[in-house]
Amino acid sequence: MTGEPGGPPPALDRELHHPTRLALAAYLSACGEAEFAVLRDYCQVSDSTLSKTLSALEKTGYVSIRKGYLGKRPRTWAALTLTGRRALAGHLTALEEIASAARRAGAEPEGDRSEPEED
Amino acid sequence: MATTGDPIDGRQAEQALGAAHAAQAAARAAGSTRSRGHTLGQGLTCAVGFTTLGLSGISSQWSGRLLTVGVLSLAAFLVLVWLGAHHGGTTPWFDRRREADKRAWLLPLAPVAVGLVAAVPYGAPGWLIGFGLASGVEYLLRATRTGTA
């Protein structure tokens, strides 16, 4: 993990580390709630995988699940909780820090990064 | 929060950020698309509902009928709002950081202001009529501006 030099490394959230979980949480963060089928189609996963992922995120308190009907058809809706929104914000901040640290390291000339020689 | 002990390099972080931002953009796009007819329907039912409620307080002869029309129109308006919010399987979320969403918060306050101005000389019926008509115009503007709400 790459962090600020000398400082603690940015804290990535283990519950949001997997690409599917991150995509799911990010999608839900930009909407009030989303239907199961919409999430499944966006993440391109099976019903079973999405169901397990949502259950895992619900267990951690990041996602709330609501079951209801649209007309006579049963529907499942998922929403990101406040805890989940905070966790996602923290995770994205940590990713930003890692990415910007890597960019800075890449932009620095070789001479700047070498230890100064002592005579 | 359980932190991951897995190392992650800058490239992976960039990829993860890109995927997250793409997902947020997709959700915003899905939550903001509404048909022009739907927006116009909302405006019409809102305008008719509030205006007839206001008129029912003025006209004693037609009071009952106007009240019925007003209540039915507002019920239809609420149904349209609910259907619009769940259209496409994604409900919109207001992000106050974005300029477009600031408009989405501020624009609906204009009918409230118009209603308050009308309430000064005409009281509650004036507020209802002013608010209803201004809301109708606001929905009409939304529909004509982009075709979406």
Side-chain angles (χ1 to χ4, degrees):
Chain A
M1 198 184 288
T2 317
E4 287 292 323
L12 290 169
D13 193 326
R14 195 192 330 174
E15 303 298 337
L16 299 173
H17 195 52
H18 192 274
T20 305
R21 288 188 179 199
L22 180 61
L24 200 59
Y27 192 96
L28 290 174
S29 74
C31 62
E33 59 180 359
E35 214 177 293
F36 186 91
V38 171
L39 295 170
R40 179 200 58 207
D41 293 346
Y42 182 76
C43 295
Q44 294 184 321
V45 292
S46 65
D47 284 8
S48 164
T49 305
L50 182 64
S51 184
K52 282 175 191 167
T53 308
L54 283 175
S55 295
L57 288 173
E58 188 185 25
K59 211 172 277 182
T60 58
Y62 288 2
V63 164
S64 63
I65 307 288
R66 182 173 70 83
K67 289 181 189 290
Y69 286 86
L70 196 66
K72 286 182 179 175
R73 287 172 293 180
R75 289 279 187 273
T76 301
W77 296 82
L80 203 62
T81 61
L82 275 177
T83 313
R85 285 181 189 278
R86 274 192 219 112
L88 179 71
H91 189 75
L92 292 180
T93 306
L95 286 174
E96 290 272 11
E97 283 177 25
I98 293 167
S100 61
R103 276 196 298 269
R104 277 198 305 274
E108 277 176 14
E110 285 295 316
D112 291 356
R113 277 185 282 172
S114 59
E115 291 291 323
E117 284 180 22
E118 290 179 18
D119 293 324
Chain B
M1 180 182 75
T3 57
T4 169
D6 296 341
I8 179 170
D9 62 27
R11 189 181 52 81
Q12 287 173 313
E14 291 276 13
Q15 281 175 350
L17 276 173
H21 291 151
Q24 287 174 328
R28 283 193 195 105
S32 64
T33 310
R34 303 281 178 276
S35 72
R36 190 170 291 189
H38 183 270
T39 310
L40 286 172
Q42 277 187 325
L44 187 68
T45 49
C46 181
V48 170
F50 281 102
T51 307
T52 49
L53 277 186
L55 289 172
S56 72
I58 299 169
S59 166
S60 54
Q61 191 186 351
W62 297 90
S63 177
R65 286 177 192 179
L66 288 170
L67 194 66
T68 308
V69 171
V71 169
L72 287 176
S73 291
L74 288 179
F77 171 68
L78 290 176
V79 168
L80 285 173
V81 167
W82 192 90
L83 287 175
H86 291 77
H87 172 82
T90 305
T91 62
W93 177 260
F94 295 102
D95 183 353
R96 277 168 287 182
R97 286 169 299 179
R98 295 193 313 143
E99 194 56 39
D101 285 329
K102 279 180 191 162
R103 279 205 305 271
W105 279 104
L106 292 174
L107 207 56
L109 292 178
V112 177
V114 171
L116 287 174
V117 170
V120 175
Y122 302 110
W127 187 88
L128 287 166
I129 293 168
F131 177 80
L133 291 176
S135 292
V137 171
E138 192 253 320
Y139 274 104
L140 187 68
L141 286 174
R142 269 200 237 179
T144 51
R145 196 174 59 222
T146 57
T148 59

